[in-house]
């Protein structure tokens, strides 16, 4: 078993699996999907991150500038698990799990690996329930593909994000000076 993070004793879930379409808090029709081939949607995801307000970046991601964004996404694309949210055909949210190991064999096993979560929703779509749907469907998809351990770090001042993570079952597991580490065990 890899990793040294503490995880909750009880698994959380079950979570819904993508795809789904729902109406957000502002009355917009939002589609959430787990692309079978991330490379097929990478241009749309790059466009979303290129529109992303740099002041909402966390821990240096997403990077700024189209070339750096593309390099970041292509670096994580092969091993990551992704879910995207679309409105009127445009990607407006992206949630990703990245394996916390460099061992290809461990990544295949999935359940023996800890997975780091990152989630981003364009500013114009925040506070409308999209982040919750995106996160729950990512966790459902993760469970479907055999992932059990997910962790994240969030800046302590980001109380809306911390509240969201707690609502879906993440628990605080450690702290650093300005970050809160949280983890969830999937069933």
């Amino acid at each position: 078993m890899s990793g040294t993070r503490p995880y909750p004793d009880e698994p959380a879930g079950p979570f819904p699996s993508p795809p789904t379409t729902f109406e957000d808090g502002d009355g917009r029709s939002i589609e959430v999907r787990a692309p079978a081939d991330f490379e097929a949607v990478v241009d749309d995801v790059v466009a979303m991150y290129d529109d992303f307000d740099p002041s909402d970046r966390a821990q240096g991601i997403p990077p700024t500038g189209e070339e750096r964004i593309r390099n970041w996404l292509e670096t994580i694309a092969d091993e990551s698990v992704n879910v995207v949210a679309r409105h009127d055909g445009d990607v407006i949210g992206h949630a990703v799990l990245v394996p916390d190991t460099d061992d290809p064999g461990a990544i295949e096993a999935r359940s023996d690996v800890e997975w780091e979560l990152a989630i981003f929703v364009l500013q114009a779509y925040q506070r409308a329930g999209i982040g919750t749907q995106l996160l729950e469907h990512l966790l459902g998809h993760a469970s479907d593909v055999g992932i059990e351990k997910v962790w994240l770090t969030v800046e302590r001042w980001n109380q809306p994000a911390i509240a969201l993570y707690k609502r879906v079952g993440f628990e605080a597991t450690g702290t650093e000076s300005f970050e809160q580490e949280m983890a969830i065990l999937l069933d």
Side-chain angles (χ1 to χ4, degrees), residues 4-5 17 20 33 39 51 70 111 119 129 131 134 147 150 160-161:
T4 58
R5 282 176 192 80
S17 300
T20 192
R33 297 216 176 274
E39 292 298 321
D51 288 342
R70 187 172 299 281
S111 64
I119 181 172
L134 198 56
I147 292 172
V150 177

Side-chain angles (χ1 to χ4, degrees), residues 1-5 100-101 112-114 149:
M1 203 58 76
S2 71
T4 58
R5 282 176 192 80
D100 194 5
T101 182
D112 292 338
V113 175
E114 294 176 332
K149 294 179 177 179

Side-chain angles (χ1 to χ4, degrees), residues 66-182:
E66 184 177 338
E67 185 177 337
R68 286 190 298 278
I69 294 166
R70 187 172 299 281
N71 288 341
W72 169 61
L73 291 172
E74 288 175 354
T75 299
I76 65 172
D78 289 341
E79 291 86 20
S80 63
V81 174
N82 297 272
V83 175
V84 296
R86 291 182 182 269
H87 174 245
D88 288 342
D90 295 325
V91 171
I92 53 90
H94 175 227
V96 59
L97 295 175
V98 179
D100 194 5
T101 182
D102 293 327
D103 178 2
I107 294 169
E108 279 292 311
R110 294 189 192 257
S111 64
D112 292 338
V113 175
E114 294 176 332
W115 295 75
E116 185 176 9
L117 179 132
I119 181 172
F120 296 96
V121 176
L122 282 176
Q123 289 74 8
Y125 291 86
Q126 292 177 3
R127 295 174 182 42
I130 297 168
T132 300
Q133 290 285 330
L134 198 56
L135 178 57
E136 289 179 348
H137 283 81
L138 175 67
L139 295 174
H141 182 52
S143 186
D144 291 346
V145 299
I147 292 172
E148 295 174 358
K149 294 179 177 179
V150 177
W151 68 279
L152 61 89
T153 56
V154 60
E155 294 162 332
R156 291 184 170 286
W157 58 262
N158 194 344
Q159 289 304 313
I162 291 171
L164 166 62
Y165 298 137
K166 285 182 177 178
R167 225 176 14 257
V168 300
F170 279 85
E171 295 181 12
T173 57
T175 59
E176 292 185 25
S177 59
F178 64 95
E179 295 176 342
Q180 172 69 57
E181 188 171 287
M182 303 179 83

